[in-house]
Each structure stands twice: as structure tokens, then as C-alpha cells.
């Protein structure tokens, strides 16, 4: 089994590259770290690559990258993938700052790239917009969440953090409560992308900025159930749901098996579990709007 350690960046195809760059720099608050014909690379203000943009006929999330251990051997990783019936290919200079990646496809057709080396892009760039700390997680609709979750667990070493019923699973690869989510849907598609902010005051500033830009908040501010993060959601230029969040549950020690205690937890201690009802999707705050629920 491969053990991934964190999410690297997400790749989005977009029909309007200029509009996408404007959103991610002026609203999300990422720095334009590189530009090629038909492609752009955006990093956090500390220099970690977060988003790759590519011109495409329609908006879609085409790729996710994950970091593995620095001493991971790509030949061994390829053998591991082959053992699961997964074909992979070694590539060089796929994106700036990553000399080599091992690429393959997951069951829903998303390209996965594994990397074990990376370098900062830029040098403590000054940004406008929200300015997140990092790309936090990506959620997808899939026809069979359990089958997709099994692949991520058995092949990439993800652990289950929570389920809502049998239709929504949250999975972690490090201390963060979730890095990928899978929710039952009729087709394979992205559900939302999430950026981590510093704290609740940073989230408040993000909401103020959305108000200044006349971008409606379609859910939040809200304290979610699984993960217990405070969050606010909106739609971007390509009609994707984007989440800004803080205070996500942390499992600091896998042997202990519970998330770091927090005053808003109702379980003491808070362990991975199945939340039985969709009504527990949030602890406090307004309900999601019809615009949020729209697929």
C-alpha cells in the first residue's frame, strides 16, 4: 500500500483562462506563480503550488497531486500500483517545482500524480483577496462512494474519518480530518474545493471580501458536523462551489484513535463514526441555500 502524506495541488480545466486567473488571484488570494500557453500555476502566499489551470472545453477537475515520503522509490510505487491492477507512468517536469511525478487514474477517471520532491514558487508573495494557508480538500460526487473510498484506502493509504449515512464519506491522509470526500451522485463530478484559512477572524474577513465583490455566500458561516470546521461557501467563475474554512478536526495520534478534544464536540472523545442523519451535517448556522444544493 502506498502512503500519501498530503494533498499537493488540483488541476482545473476552464473555458476562460483569463477569468479563472482573475478569480484565483483577486478573490481566492493566490499568487500567479507561472504562465504558459494555455496553462497557469497559482501558489499560496508562502509559495506552495495550490492550483493548476488549463484551457479546456468545459470546467472540470482533471487532476489531483499528492506528496509521498521523500525517500519513496517510484519503481516500488509502480509495482505496488501494478499489484492493484493500476497502470502508471513516470513523468518529468509536469509542473514547476516538481522534477518527477508518478501518474495514474483513479476509478472515477481523475488523474492522480504522486511526487516526493518539490520547491517553493516565488518568495513570500504579497497577495490580494482572501489569501488561504493551503489547499485543504476536494470533494467529488461518485455513483458508488464506498467503492471509491475502498480504492483510496487500499491503494493510497487513506483512513475513514466519518460517514454521513452510507452516502457521504470523509477521508484523511494525515492529521487533517479530511483531504478527500466522496458523496453519492449520478455521475463523477467535483462537488466542491476547499481552502484552509488561519482562524475564524480570517473567515470573517473572507466573508467581507465576498460581500465587497458581490459574490453571494450560499451557505454559512456555519459550524459543520463531521470535521467540525467553521466554513462559508460560494460559487466561483466556473460555477464550482468553493469553501473557505478553519478549525478542522485534527487526529494527532492514530494510535489514540480520536480527534483532538475541542469544546464544540458533542462526543467525548470524538472518534470516527457514522453520523446517522443528514440533519447533523452542521452544528449551528443557517441551512444550505438552494443555490448550494444545486448540482
Amino acid at each position: 500500500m502506498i502512503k500519501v502524506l498530503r494533498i499537493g495541488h488540483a488541476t482545473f480545466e476552464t473555458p476562460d483562462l483569463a477569468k479563472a486567473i482573475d478569480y484565483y488571484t483577486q478573490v481566492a488570494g493566490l499568487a500567479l506563480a507561472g504562465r504558459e500557453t494555455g496553462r497557469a500555476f497559482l501558489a499560496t502566499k508562502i509559495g506552495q503550488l495550490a492550483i493548476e489551470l488549463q484551457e479546456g472545453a468545459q470546467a472540470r477537475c482533471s487532476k489531483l497531486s499528492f506528496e509521498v515520503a521523500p525517500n519513496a522509490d517510484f519503481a516500488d510505487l509502480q509495482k505496488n500500483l501494478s499489484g492493484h491492477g493500476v497502470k502508471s507512468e513516470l513523468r518529468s517536469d509536469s509542473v514547476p517545482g516538481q522534477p518527477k511525478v508518478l501518474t495514474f487514474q483513479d476509478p472515477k477517471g481523475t488523474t492522480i500524480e504522486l511526487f516526493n520532491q518539490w520547491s517553493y514558487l516565488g518568495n513570500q508573495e504579497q497577495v490580494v483577496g482572501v489569501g488561504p494557508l493551503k489547499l485543504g480538500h476536494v470533494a467529488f460526487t461518485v455513483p458508488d462512494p464506498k467503492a471509491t473510498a475502498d480504492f483510496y484506502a487500499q491503494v493510497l493509504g487513506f483512513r475513514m474519518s466519518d460517514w454521513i449515512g452510507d452516502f457521504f464519506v470523509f477521508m484523511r491522509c494525515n492529521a487533517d480530518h479530511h483531504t478527500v470526500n466522496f458523496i453519492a451522485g449520478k455521475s463523477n463530478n467535483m462537488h466542491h474545493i476547499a481552502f484552509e484559512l488561519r482562524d475564524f477572524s480570517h473567515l470573517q474577513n473572507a466573508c467581507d471580501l465576498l460581500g465587497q465583490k458581490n459574490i453571494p455566500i450560499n451557505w454559512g458561516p456555519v459550524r459543520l458536523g463531521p470535521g467540525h470546521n467553521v466554513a462559508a461557501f460560494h460559487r466561483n467563475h466556473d460555477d464550482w462551489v468553493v469553501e473557505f474554512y478553519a478549525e478542522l478536526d485534527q487526529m494527532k495520534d492514530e494510535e489514540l484513535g480520536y480527534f483532538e478534544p475541542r469544546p464544540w464536540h458533542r462526543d467525548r472523545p470524538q472518534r470516527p463514526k457514522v453520523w446517522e442523519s443528514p440533519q447533523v451535517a452542521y452544528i449551528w448556522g443557517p441551512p444550505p441555500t438552494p443555490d448550494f444544493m444545486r448540482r
Side-chain angles (χ1 to χ4, degrees), residues 134 136-137 194-197 203 229-231 243-248:
K134 68 179 184 182
H137 58 267
F195 293 99
E196 184 180 49
L197 306 189
L203 181 64
N229 40 312
V230 286
E243 174 189 356
F244 294 133
Y245 74 90
E247 299 181 354
L248 183 68

Side-chain angles (χ1 to χ4, degrees), residues 88-281:
S88 60
E89 179 184 355
L90 192 62
R91 295 180 181 174
S92 299
D93 299 320
S94 174
V95 296
Q98 294 176 12
K100 290 183 180 180
V101 299
L102 184 62
T103 180
F104 58 95
Q105 285 196 335
D106 72 6
K108 55 183 168 52
T110 303
T111 296
I112 304 298
E113 286 188 347
L114 305 180
F115 64 95
N116 63 359
Q117 297 180 47
W118 64 278
S119 58
Y120 286 101
L121 305 179
N123 183 25
Q124 297 289 324
E125 299 287 342
Q126 294 297 313
V127 298
V128 297
V130 173
L133 299 180
K134 68 179 184 182
L135 171 64
H137 58 267
V138 185
F140 294 87
T141 59
V142 294
D144 189 341
K146 185 180 185 306
T148 306
D150 286 346
F151 177 90
Y152 273 72
Q154 295 165 12
V155 177
L156 297 174
F158 278 78
R159 282 85 69 195
M160 187 277 289
S161 288
D162 280 307
W163 278 88
I164 299 179
D166 61 356
F167 65 90
F168 198 167
V169 61
F170 301 76
M171 304 191 76
R172 68 185 183 278
C173 64
N174 51 31
D176 288 355
H177 178 273
H178 54 282
T179 298
V180 292
N181 306 3
F182 305 113
I183 184 171
K186 294 181 180 180
S187 61
N188 295 313
N189 211 339
M190 196 178 81
H191 184 271
H192 71 272
I193 183 173
F195 293 99
E196 184 180 49
L197 306 189
R198 182 183 63 253
D199 52 25
F200 193 85
S201 66
H202 195 178
L203 181 64
Q204 179 184 358
N205 292 341
C207 292
D208 284 336
L209 184 138
L210 292 174
Q212 293 163 8
K213 298 283 188 181
N214 294 315
I215 299 174
I217 295 172
N218 58 18
W219 191 16
V222 61
R223 169 81 69 189
L224 298 173
H228 292 95
N229 40 312
V230 286
F233 299 80
H234 67 282
R235 288 186 180 269
N236 70 6
H237 61 288
D238 276 331
D239 206 34
W240 293 123
V241 172
V242 179
E243 174 189 356
F244 294 133
Y245 74 90
E247 299 181 354
L248 183 68
D249 279 348
Q250 299 283 303
M251 184 171 287
K252 300 293 188 181
D253 192 322
E254 289 287 340
E255 288 190 47
L256 293 177
Y258 55 79
F259 298 101
E260 284 290 289
R262 295 292 182 264
W264 44 81
H265 287 169
R266 293 179 177 175
D267 294 350
R268 297 173 180 267
Q270 189 74 46
R271 299 181 184 274
K273 68 174 186 177
V274 177
W275 300 63
E276 294 296 342
S277 168
Q279 281 72 40
V280 300

